[in-house]
Amino acid sequence: MLAEEARSTPGEPISLARRGAAYFEMSGPGEFIAAAVLFVLMIAIRVVNITRYAFDDDESQHLHVIWGWARGFVQYRDLFDNHMPLFHIMFAPIFGLIGDRASILYEMRFIVLPLYFVAAWCTYKIGTVLFSRRAGIWAVILAGLYTRYHFVSVEFRTDNLWAPLWLLCVTVLVSGSLTVRRALAAGLLLGLCFGVSMKSTLFLYSIALAAMATLFLVGRQRLAQSWSYLTQCVAAFVLSTTTIPATVMIFFAFKGLWRDFRYCVFDFNFLARSASENSFAYRIHLALTIIIALLIVVYVAWRMIRATDSAGLAFRRVFVLMVCASYFLALKTFWPIRNNDNDPPLYPLAAVLCSGALLAASNALIGFKWNPGRNFRRMPVPVFLALGEIFVLVAMKPIWKDRTKTETDLLRNELALLKPGDYVLDCKGETVFRQRCVRAVFETITKSAIQRGLILDNAPQRCVETHTCVVASTQIKGLPYDTRRFVKRNYLMVTNNLRIAGEELKPSATNPRRCEFDVTIPAVYEIISRSGNVSGTLDGIPYNGARFLAAGPHNFESASASHDLVLLWAQAVARHFTPFKHHTSPNG
């Protein structure tokens, strides 16, 4: 009925809007135009947010690892990272072509933009297979405008390769009848997911549980599949899935890096607090929530099966529903780290189911003899929901506000101040282009393990050993308490985002010209003053400029009384980074 309304009368020119409405099985040109406008707005907001939305510290962390690959370092051995390496290896050549530039984060966000369109195409394809082209289009728009999915998918992070590969896997599984060849292809795509992140265990679990539950609900007899053939498909899927992660593990084992790889990817992630550490009352509440949720999901699945004539189509619809339910419940109940970073693979599949349900509701509302029901004949419910999403999206993070300046200023100042061989202390690799003096990345798992005594916080010792004279202060609150105290005691703020080794020299109570001080970080230092040149004797030797100072006590006797003397790393002074006023380096 809907497609018929989009047709023109004989002899009437067929407009583009009518053709589009007919192709996508929409109610008419109005709905097609609304969908097209919303899609264009979705892409426009996305492009603007690439250059406006604040950079997450995970983005710079991944870029630091990619920088390491591009500079000849080896992940896990030279740079700590708790992800599988496929994402970083894939982007290392691109990083090498771009080079060390303060704008690198913008450029890498644009480079992963095509992956978003891959995910959108998969969403459309799954919606088309399960319901209709109309449902597929609205699923793309509803998912793309949903705030959490929109903002996470804007960022440069492993999830934005991981999620499209997962959606490709689901697309392959639901696009036709189950065959060994299809199982091999889907398994290979899931294996690529494992090459990006071991969180793909959630995917494997979801597919296995969803397949068994759906087979039980729909019935093997209705599907006309024998146990032997199903076993062949499962074996092909599992064998294909293991190919990529097994290849990665064998590669690092042959390179003699198995222990480093195993610690970073497996042992470290197991340091996260498990769900079993929750209280008994919480576990009881969790169990009741799971039982209620499962009863609701099974009821919805039963209604889907009854409403679908084709056993194959019923299986696909229920399978996607069960994948969503099993993934969501596993993620929110048993997964040790609870954050929104793991949600992106779920949103497009949930949007497909929601768009199918909303379009069915729109068709049902048309039948009622009430004035508002006429509106749904031209504009279905998803149109109004998408408009609401745009309002929320822009209200949460206004696109006219630039929130990226903090990170780009840090990179610009870093490139102006540091030489390629200089070490830096930061929280997670936000300085990107320089080697960190510590191996540990101070994220949720690390900080929790330090508090529990499972990991030693050796950042102060490493700063001394590597003569680290620069600390990135944008994420200083993320450093462990002892390291934070060490930094504040031994480094001076010279910009809004950098601290430099040094200290303010305080005159002795008995001699206003004499300053006694301790050096913690051995390096070449210079004594400077806001008022101009400094003269006197340093450790009994006439002071005539920058000098290497070993760790330990030192003294300086000024030729004249001064109250604004500062000891600062000489390289910072030479490049005009001083604590007297925050320095901003020129663009370039």
Side-chain angles (χ1 to χ4, degrees):
M1 180 184 74
L2 296 174
E4 289 177 0
E5 294 183 19
R7 296 173 187 167
S8 59
T9 58
E12 179 185 345
I14 302 177
S15 67
L16 179 62
R18 287 186 179 276
R19 289 181 179 178
Y23 180 80
F24 291 111
E25 305 166 2
M26 292 180 171
S27 59
E31 182 183 349
F32 175 79
I33 292 171
V37 170
L38 288 168
F39 182 82
V40 170
L41 285 174
M42 178 184 76
I43 301 303
I45 294 172
R46 176 169 299 277
V47 171
V48 172
N49 273 329
I50 286 176
T51 62
R52 297 279 179 168
Y53 181 60
F55 294 112
D56 188 85
D57 53 12
D58 282 349
E59 297 182 78
S60 50
Q61 180 185 357
H62 293 308
L63 265 178
H64 178 65
V65 177
I66 294 169
W67 167 86
W69 278 111
R71 294 298 178 269
F73 295 105
V74 177
Q75 193 172 349
Y76 313 122
R77 184 192 68 189
D78 304 317
L79 300 167
F80 176 87
D81 188 65
N82 62 330
H83 300 83
M84 289 287 276
L86 183 60
F87 178 83
H88 308 99
I89 293 174
M90 189 174 100
F91 285 99
I94 300 173
F95 189 105
L97 291 173
I98 296 173
D100 296 356
R101 299 171 57 178
S103 60
I104 187 74
L105 282 164
Y106 298 116
E107 290 153 359
M108 297 305 274
R109 277 184 172 184
F110 275 107
I111 286 169
V112 298
L113 183 59
L115 294 174
Y116 169 77
F117 289 105
V118 172
W121 178 85
C122 291
T123 305
Y124 168 74
K125 184 67 176 178
I126 295 169
T128 300
V129 170
L130 266 57
F131 300 104
S132 65
R133 292 172 180 166
R134 187 190 190 199
I137 285 293
W138 285 115
V140 170
I141 294 171
L142 293 179
L145 291 173
Y146 182 60
T147 51
R148 286 187 178 178
Y149 182 69
H150 172 87
F151 290 126
V152 171
S153 60
V154 158
E155 298 171 355
F156 178 77
R157 58 194 307 138
T158 53
D159 304 280
N160 291 326
L161 174 61
W162 183 54
L165 287 171
W166 158 247
L167 292 171
L168 282 169
C169 174
V170 176
T171 303
V172 169
L173 286 173
V174 303
S175 292
S177 58
L178 183 62
T179 63
V180 173
R181 189 174 179 179
R182 187 177 298 278
L184 283 169
L188 180 61
L189 289 165
L190 184 57
L192 289 170
C193 290
F194 273 100
V196 175
S197 175
M198 288 305 294
K199 294 186 296 186
S200 303
T201 306
L202 286 168
F203 294 157
L204 184 60
Y205 163 82
S206 300
I207 287 178
L209 188 63
M212 289 187 293
T214 308
L215 189 65
F216 173 78
L217 291 171
V218 176
R220 182 178 59 84
Q221 292 79 9
R222 286 188 62 191
L223 297 170
Q225 297 283 4
S226 66
W227 284 117
S228 61
Y229 188 73
L230 290 175
T231 303
Q232 292 177 38
C233 293
V234 171
F237 180 81
V238 172
L239 179 64
S240 185
T241 298
T242 58
T243 302
I244 301 297
T247 302
V248 171
M249 293 176 190
I250 291 170
F251 169 80
F252 283 99
F254 273 122
K255 291 292 183 180
L257 302 174
W258 171 250
R259 291 181 64 184
D260 296 317
F261 172 84
R262 186 193 67 190
Y263 173 76
C264 292
V265 177
F266 294 102
D267 297 347
F268 174 79
N269 289 317
F270 286 134
L271 293 176
R273 291 183 181 273
S274 65
S276 61
E277 297 181 35
N278 292 314
S279 65
F280 177 76
Y282 174 84
R283 280 180 276 173
I284 292 294
H285 173 75
L286 182 63
L288 290 174
T289 302
I290 292 174
I291 291 171
I292 294 171
L294 288 176
L295 289 174
I296 294 172
V297 170
V298 169
Y299 174 75
V300 173
W302 175 72
R303 292 293 302 266
M304 277 186 173
I305 293 169
R306 289 197 61 183
T308 309
D309 295 330
S310 168
L313 181 57
F315 184 91
R316 295 183 191 101
R317 288 178 176 177
V318 174
F319 173 74
V320 171
L321 173 66
M322 290 296 178
V323 163
C324 288
S326 56
Y327 182 91
F328 179 80
L329 290 175
L331 182 62
K332 300 303 180 183
T333 56
F334 305 117
W335 201 248
I337 301 177
R338 299 185 180 96
N339 55 44
N340 298 327
D341 295 347
N342 301 324
D343 293 346
L346 178 66
Y347 296 133
L349 296 181
V352 168
L353 297 173
C354 287
S355 65
L358 290 173
L359 290 173
S362 296
N363 293 337
L365 290 172
I366 291 173
F368 287 98
K369 295 181 178 180
W370 58 313
N371 291 333
R374 298 174 184 175
N375 297 328
F376 296 113
R377 183 179 299 276
R378 293 175 178 267
M379 297 294 173
V381 173
V383 174
F384 303 99
L385 181 58
L387 289 171
E389 286 183 316
I390 289 179
F391 176 80
V392 173
L393 192 63
V394 176
M396 284 185 64
K397 304 289 181 181
I399 58 177
W400 53 88
K401 292 184 179 181
D402 187 357
R403 295 175 172 83
T404 63
K405 187 175 175 58
T406 300
E407 185 63 30
T408 53
D409 282 350
L410 170 62
L411 298 183
R412 190 174 292 109
N413 287 331
E414 170 202 351
L415 291 171
L417 172 62
L418 293 172
K419 298 176 182 177
D422 293 332
Y423 282 87
V424 66
L425 172 65
D426 60 18
C427 193
K428 295 177 63 176
E430 55 267 25
T431 50
V432 179
F433 308 121
R434 296 296 180 262
Q435 193 166 0
R436 304 174 69 244
C437 67
V438 291
R439 180 170 174 79
V441 173
F442 299 111
E443 60 176 7
T444 305
I445 298 176
T446 307
K447 289 186 285 188
S448 173
I450 289 173
Q451 291 174 357
R452 290 181 286 161
L454 301 177
I455 292 179
L456 176 66
D457 174 24
N458 64 345
Q461 296 91 322
R462 289 294 300 159
C463 285
V464 175
E465 291 170 5
T466 58
H467 300 191
T468 298
C469 293
V470 177
V471 176
S473 57
T474 51
Q475 301 288 336
I476 194 171
K477 292 182 179 179
L479 295 173
Y481 176 72
D482 289 340
T483 297
R484 201 159 60 244
R485 286 183 58 197
F486 173 83
V487 168
K488 290 180 178 179
R489 191 166 54 243
N490 295 288
Y491 295 83
L492 295 176
M493 183 78 78
V494 298
T495 72
N496 292 327
N497 45 50
L498 288 178
R499 286 178 177 262
I500 305 298
E503 61 178 292
E504 296 180 5
L505 300 184
K506 298 179 180 180
S508 169
T510 58
N511 185 353
R513 295 186 180 184
R514 183 179 178 84
C515 302
E516 295 179 350
F517 58 93
D518 289 312
V519 168
T520 303
I521 311 295
V524 177
Y525 287 95
E526 191 168 339
I527 297 175
I528 60 175
S529 170
R530 187 190 300 272
S531 57
N533 295 331
V534 175
S535 61
T537 58
L538 177 59
D539 294 333
I541 301 172
Y543 175 76
N544 55 8
R547 185 186 303 179
F548 178 83
L549 298 181
H554 298 269
N555 66 80
F556 177 75
E557 188 160 340
S558 177
S560 60
S562 178
H563 300 281
D564 61 352
L565 296 179
V566 171
L567 180 77
L568 198 68
W569 185 41
Q571 186 170 310
V573 177
R575 301 191 178 193
H576 309 292
F577 285 80
T578 67
F580 301 130
K581 59 178 179 179
H582 286 178
H583 170 87
T584 303
S585 66
N587 295 341

